[in-house]
Amino acid sequence: MPSRSEALFNRAKKVIPGGVSSPVRFYEPFPFFVSSALGSKLTTADHKTCIDYCMGYGAIVLGHSYPSVIDSVRSQLDKGTLFCTPSEKEVLLCESISKLVPCAEMVRLVNTGSEATMHAIRLSRAFTKKKKVIKFDGCYHGAYDYVLVKAGSGAATVPSSEGVLEETSSHTLVVPYNDSAGLERTIERNPDVACVIIEPVLANMGLILPDRNYLNEVRSITRQKDVVLIFDEVVTGFRLGLGGAGEFFGVKPDIATFAKALGNGFPIAAIAGRAEIMQQLSPSGSVYQASTFAGNAISVTASMSCLGALMEAKNSIYPQMSRMCDSVTATLRDEAEDLKLNCVVNSIGSMYQLFFTSDKVRDASGARKSDQAKFRRLYDYLLKDGVFIPPSQFETCFLSYSHSEDDCDRTVEAYRNALGKIRDDKV
Ligand SMILES: Cc1ncc(COP(=O)(O)O)c(C=O)c1O
């Protein structure tokens, strides 16, 4: 008899292209379906519980169904969900973001990371009166035309997308991550560059950290050349710390974009940045950006409650997540070494990823050299042992504030078993 997940997938395929609502959710032969999520755990449609390290691809920073967030949303439900006219809570939320994020002189709320980066690019083009965009190999900024060029995440495993006009993507230049000389050369050869958009920590090609001083170099090159610097903090915002990667690395971009951890699982995103750039947004300026659901009462309430919880316990939340992540990743490195498996484990704060390769992974081409077949077996073995990691080498694993010491012990044990089997597999 097929499992309930398999039966649901067979039904899904008939009405949903590929059976999933977003391509990264598919893997062979079919993904498990989830019936509920609480704290650090997911319960599947087949009544199996697993420890989650996907955590909404980084969105769930506090934990699934975090009580204070859920309580505040529940009480807002009785007071309305969508007003499409301003409310005090939007002002309060944007004031909080502005206080927490060093570059955020002004803030505009949107719904998704893609919307945030798309309008940040439009703003940069209007501000500089220039056309071209520089992005980095492996960075993912959303699924729309300007940035779907050498992108990471789900797009890392497909060559490119049909339907993206060459006329559009030809304005997007791609340079390697962690190569400031390459960036400088590209800007010098292309005087028409409006902006450089970067994931300050590359979390969509596995996890790749910026070399020491790299982000400072990117900042000074862009400043010298009058190019707008956009930090895409959709993953790092409110996860690396309350002030995101900008504060963590002490580098101030002109614009930063946020989503994921801003709402602990509710759909909300933000564009934040220097006032003289942000003021160009309509209606104060002539850069059009609009959305029916932007600033809706439910997402704003969830976000205020999420930021409230993060602010209240910032001295325990961030250190606790980092300590647990450091302890898991240190053990993984030791295990791999004991087993004589060539592995690299990159980690920062509450994020990590393991690559089956012997060389340092400091850019997308390094990540592509890792053994993806081994990674696939790692995924399968871990899932059998009740640990769910994103099913792709080109994603990042995330801890939340709800992960416990016991979760981490069980996770390390599951990796130990999985790595042992991978060493012994006759493949
Ligand atoms: C760094 C980054 N930017 C932008 C996006 C797009 O966000 P969304 O899926 O909310 O449109 C993502 C999504 O994973 C992301 O990781």
Short mmCIF file of all heavy atoms in Angstrom, two decimals, residues 112-114 140-142 199 204 232 234-235 260, ligand 1:
data_model
loop_
_atom_site.label_atom_id
_atom_site.label_comp_id
_atom_site.label_asym_id
_atom_site.label_seq_id
_atom_site.Cartn_x
_atom_site.Cartn_y
_atom_site.Cartn_z
N THR A 112 7.11 39.46 -0.19
CA THR A 112 8.06 38.37 -0.41
C THR A 112 9.45 38.92 -0.70
O THR A 112 9.60 40.09 -1.10
CB THR A 112 7.66 37.51 -1.65
OG1 THR A 112 7.79 38.34 -2.82
CG2 THR A 112 6.25 36.98 -1.55
N GLY A 113 10.42 38.04 -0.55
CA GLY A 113 11.80 38.42 -0.84
C GLY A 113 11.98 38.85 -2.29
O GLY A 113 12.71 39.79 -2.58
N SER A 114 11.29 38.15 -3.20
CA SER A 114 11.43 38.49 -4.62
C SER A 114 10.96 39.92 -4.89
O SER A 114 11.61 40.68 -5.60
CB SER A 114 10.58 37.55 -5.49
OG SER A 114 11.02 36.23 -5.37
N TYR A 140 20.98 33.84 -4.99
CA TYR A 140 19.58 33.77 -5.42
C TYR A 140 18.84 34.97 -4.85
O TYR A 140 18.96 35.26 -3.66
CB TYR A 140 18.94 32.47 -4.91
CG TYR A 140 17.49 32.31 -5.29
CD1 TYR A 140 17.11 32.00 -6.58
CD2 TYR A 140 16.48 32.48 -4.34
CE1 TYR A 140 15.78 31.86 -6.94
CE2 TYR A 140 15.14 32.34 -4.68
CZ TYR A 140 14.79 32.03 -5.98
OH TYR A 140 13.48 31.90 -6.33
N HIS A 141 18.10 35.66 -5.71
CA HIS A 141 17.39 36.84 -5.22
C HIS A 141 15.90 36.79 -5.56
O HIS A 141 15.20 37.78 -5.39
CB HIS A 141 18.01 38.11 -5.83
CG HIS A 141 19.47 38.23 -5.56
ND1 HIS A 141 20.00 38.42 -4.29
CD2 HIS A 141 20.55 38.14 -6.39
CE1 HIS A 141 21.32 38.46 -4.36
NE2 HIS A 141 21.68 38.28 -5.62
N GLY A 142 15.43 35.65 -6.07
CA GLY A 142 14.02 35.54 -6.43
C GLY A 142 13.90 34.93 -7.81
O GLY A 142 14.90 34.69 -8.49
N GLU A 199 24.16 38.51 -1.62
CA GLU A 199 23.82 37.90 -0.33
C GLU A 199 25.10 38.03 0.51
O GLU A 199 26.12 37.41 0.16
CB GLU A 199 23.52 36.41 -0.51
CG GLU A 199 22.20 36.07 -1.12
CD GLU A 199 22.00 34.55 -1.13
OE1 GLU A 199 21.79 33.95 -0.07
OE2 GLU A 199 22.07 33.96 -2.23
N ASN A 204 22.48 30.24 -0.65
CA ASN A 204 21.71 29.53 -1.67
C ASN A 204 22.59 28.68 -2.58
O ASN A 204 22.20 28.31 -3.69
CB ASN A 204 20.90 30.53 -2.50
CG ASN A 204 19.65 30.97 -1.75
OD1 ASN A 204 18.72 30.19 -1.59
ND2 ASN A 204 19.62 32.20 -1.27
N ASP A 232 21.20 41.71 0.01
CA ASP A 232 19.98 40.90 0.07
C ASP A 232 20.06 40.09 1.36
O ASP A 232 20.72 39.07 1.43
CB ASP A 232 19.89 40.01 -1.17
CG ASP A 232 18.65 39.13 -1.13
OD1 ASP A 232 17.94 39.15 -0.10
OD2 ASP A 232 18.40 38.42 -2.12
N VAL A 234 17.54 38.64 2.85
CA VAL A 234 16.33 37.84 2.98
C VAL A 234 16.59 36.63 3.90
O VAL A 234 15.73 36.25 4.70
CB VAL A 234 15.81 37.43 1.58
CG1 VAL A 234 14.84 36.27 1.65
CG2 VAL A 234 15.15 38.64 0.92
N VAL A 235 17.78 36.06 3.84
CA VAL A 235 18.12 34.95 4.74
C VAL A 235 18.77 35.46 6.03
O VAL A 235 18.42 35.05 7.13
CB VAL A 235 19.06 33.94 4.04
CG1 VAL A 235 19.60 32.92 5.04
CG2 VAL A 235 18.32 33.21 2.92
N LYS A 260 11.83 36.34 5.19
CA LYS A 260 12.00 35.17 6.05
C LYS A 260 11.88 35.46 7.56
O LYS A 260 10.77 35.56 8.06
CB LYS A 260 13.33 34.51 5.71
CG LYS A 260 13.39 34.16 4.20
CD LYS A 260 14.06 32.88 3.92
CE LYS A 260 14.22 32.69 2.42
NZ LYS A 260 14.08 31.39 1.92
C1 LIG B 1 18.62 35.54 -0.43
C2 LIG B 1 17.24 35.42 -1.00
N1 LIG B 1 16.70 36.47 -1.64
C3 LIG B 1 15.45 36.42 -2.16
C4 LIG B 1 14.69 35.29 -2.06
C5 LIG B 1 13.31 35.26 -2.65
O1 LIG B 1 12.40 35.30 -1.60
P1 LIG B 1 10.88 34.79 -1.81
O2 LIG B 1 10.96 33.30 -2.03
O3 LIG B 1 10.20 35.18 -0.53
O4 LIG B 1 10.34 35.52 -2.98
C6 LIG B 1 15.21 34.17 -1.40
C7 LIG B 1 14.42 32.94 -1.27
O5 LIG B 1 14.84 31.92 -0.82
C8 LIG B 1 16.51 34.23 -0.86
O6 LIG B 1 17.06 33.19 -0.21
#
